[in-house]
Amino acid sequence: GKFALCYDSKRGRVVLMGGDCSGVPANSPLFFDVATATWSRPYPDDTYETYKVNENGFLVSGEKGDRPWVVPIFSGLVYDPERDELVLCNIDFCGNPLFIKDKVDVKDPATGKVSTMFKGVKVRKGAYYSEQPIWVMNLEKNQWSMLAAMRPTEHGHAFRPAVYIPELKTIVGSSWGLYELGGDRSKLERLPGRAGQGCSSGVYDLKNKVLLFYGLDYGIGNDLCAYDRVQKTPPKQMPTPGARPPKSGFIPVTYDVGSGRTVAVVFDGADKPDVAGTWLYDYAADIWQRMPDGNLTFEKNTWQWGKPIGYDVNMVYDSCHKICLLVARSGNPAKPQPTVWALKIDESKLK
């Protein structure tokens, strides 16, 4: 999905952030308390009138200019349990009108009123992803700060997917190469090797101690790349000779600790564009297994609401309740609140 998810294990809640700049300035994170099934936010969304470029050329919002813009984040949001922080590694202009021109007339989907978004904001021609910093939110204070010296990559593409490695207390992400943000936030290091181009999703396999990047061909594919950062072995593409999920772009993926499997929800393809299957990946055996009772109904490539799951989806593992949580968000202004589904894997049915 265009929004990102991570799990705040200290408070037992899902964190959702990001959007597609469709006319709704939703730059505040949303918190979903799993125990009470309630949503909350740390601050009201900042209006577009506060969006600007600061003296350093960074895109900021809020009255004090101390918050990030609303942008597609995809899988570039990470919770760091060691520092109790959100780390926003991805500032992606995909879908942002400023990526095309300085200003654009937009229609409010709720009122029908047409207004000029980002009026007066100037971004120089050629400004791109790599010119924006990594943002960090202190969750005790709900305050953002930027790592101004930590621009995601030199290649003009976002630092995502980003994954936390508990053994090293660092964050590793893939762009046109591999990058690691140190636990003390003092350095963003370029690592040897690469994991593909434009990977859509990434997880850390706690059982096998490897990073797994999914969708290696600009996010559209079904290949996996494994990278053991702890042992510092080179990234390798998994052969996976057996069955695989259908090729698809930017699919929800997470790691289920109880079963020791990577979980992916993937569209069945052109024959069944509104059906998605739940697939489990066993890294040690290099096999995918489709759950026979794990089918879901999606609305593919549409913002219309009316079926069980909307188009914009993502997934995260709830380490407190030992379940996978799939979150879907509709583009219908009459149903702005995301919907959450829970998955508990029956380990007796695993191969």
Side-chain angles (χ1 to χ4, degrees):
K2 293 182 179 179
F3 67 86
L5 292 181
C6 63
Y7 186 74
D8 177 353
S9 56
K10 181 177 180 179
R11 299 164 186 84
R13 63 187 184 182
V14 176
V15 182
L16 180 156
M17 190 172 180
D20 70 336
C21 299
S22 59
V24 181
N27 73 326
S28 170
L30 294 177
F31 301 138
F32 180 73
D33 187 301
V34 180
T36 62
T38 56
W39 289 94
S40 63
R41 65 175 67 226
Y43 54 86
D45 291 323
D46 295 304
T47 64
Y48 283 133
E49 287 74 20
T50 70
Y51 280 44
K52 62 184 179 181
V53 180
N54 70 9
E55 63 276 8
N56 295 315
F58 299 143
L59 308 180
V60 297
S61 64
E63 294 298 331
K64 298 180 180 179
D66 57 353
R67 294 170 180 162
W69 283 25
V70 54
V71 289
I73 297 175
F74 298 100
S75 47
L77 185 70
V78 178
Y79 174 67
D80 184 335
E82 185 73 14
R83 298 172 64 98
D84 192 28
E85 292 175 340
L86 292 181
V87 184
L88 173 55
C89 301
N90 181 26
I91 297 294
D92 195 327
F93 289 166
C94 176
N96 190 316
L98 274 180
F99 184 60
I100 304 171
K101 50 189 175 182
D102 290 331
K103 60 183 180 180
V104 63
D105 289 337
V106 296
K107 186 175 183 179
D108 188 317
T111 66
K113 180 181 178 182
V114 176
S115 60
T116 300
M117 188 162 62
F118 309 119
K119 186 176 180 180
V121 174
K122 300 295 180 182
V123 175
R124 72 173 182 82
K125 187 177 180 180
Y128 211 47
Y129 312 103
S130 61
E131 301 199 1
Q132 299 310 312
I134 293 173
W135 288 83
V136 175
M137 173 181 264
N138 180 312
L139 286 173
E140 285 295 329
K141 300 178 180 179
N142 287 331
Q143 291 180 347
W144 287 103
S145 60
M146 65 172 72
L147 304 180
M150 306 291 178
R151 302 188 180 191
T153 78
E154 73 271 22
H155 286 289
H157 213 290
F159 174 42
R160 55 105 176 134
V163 182
Y164 182 76
I165 303 181
E167 290 88 351
L168 302 176
K169 299 180 174 59
T170 62
I171 296 171
V172 172
S174 173
S175 179
W176 261 233
L178 291 167
Y179 294 81
E180 183 173 58
L181 178 62
D184 61 359
R185 308 285 189 260
S186 64
K187 183 171 63 172
L188 182 65
E189 180 183 0
R190 175 72 159 85
L191 302 175
R194 61 188 300 174
Q197 296 186 10
C199 306
S200 69
S201 307
V203 300
Y204 186 67
D205 185 326
L206 285 166
K207 180 180 178 181
N208 297 288
K209 311 299 182 187
V210 293
L211 280 156
L212 295 173
F213 295 107
Y214 186 90
L216 308 184
D217 185 13
Y218 294 91
I220 302 175
N222 58 6
D223 292 318
L224 277 168
C225 180
Y227 176 47
D228 187 338
R229 174 56 183 151
V230 178
Q231 297 299 322
K232 300 183 179 181
T233 57
K236 63 176 181 179
Q237 185 168 327
M238 302 301 294
T240 319
R244 297 186 183 197
K247 291 184 177 182
S248 187
F250 299 104
I251 63 170
V253 175
T254 193
Y255 177 76
D256 181 78
V257 176
S259 65
R261 303 290 199 276
T262 295
V263 185
V265 176
V266 188
F267 291 114
D268 274 353
D271 295 336
K272 297 179 179 179
D274 60 345
V275 176
T278 302
W279 292 76
L280 306 182
Y281 178 72
D282 182 342
Y283 169 76
D286 191 22
I287 60 171
W288 283 99
Q289 174 187 357
R290 181 167 181 165
M291 297 177 62
D293 53 355
N295 285 358
L296 299 168
T297 301
F298 276 76
E299 291 182 276
K300 188 177 181 183
N301 297 330
T302 176
W303 291 106
Q304 298 177 2
W305 189 267
K307 293 184 179 180
I309 297 180
Y311 162 67
D312 208 8
V313 295
N314 221 318
M315 190 161 50
V316 71
Y317 180 73
D318 177 345
S319 58
C320 295
H321 301 91
K322 316 300 182 187
I323 53 176
C324 298
L325 296 171
L326 183 78
V327 181
R329 188 168 62 181
S330 168
N332 186 345
K335 280 183 172 283
Q337 182 166 293
T339 310
V340 183
W341 283 261
L343 169 67
K344 180 69 175 178
I345 296 175
D346 184 352
E347 297 179 33
S348 66
K349 296 182 179 180
L350 299 179
K351 293 180 181 178

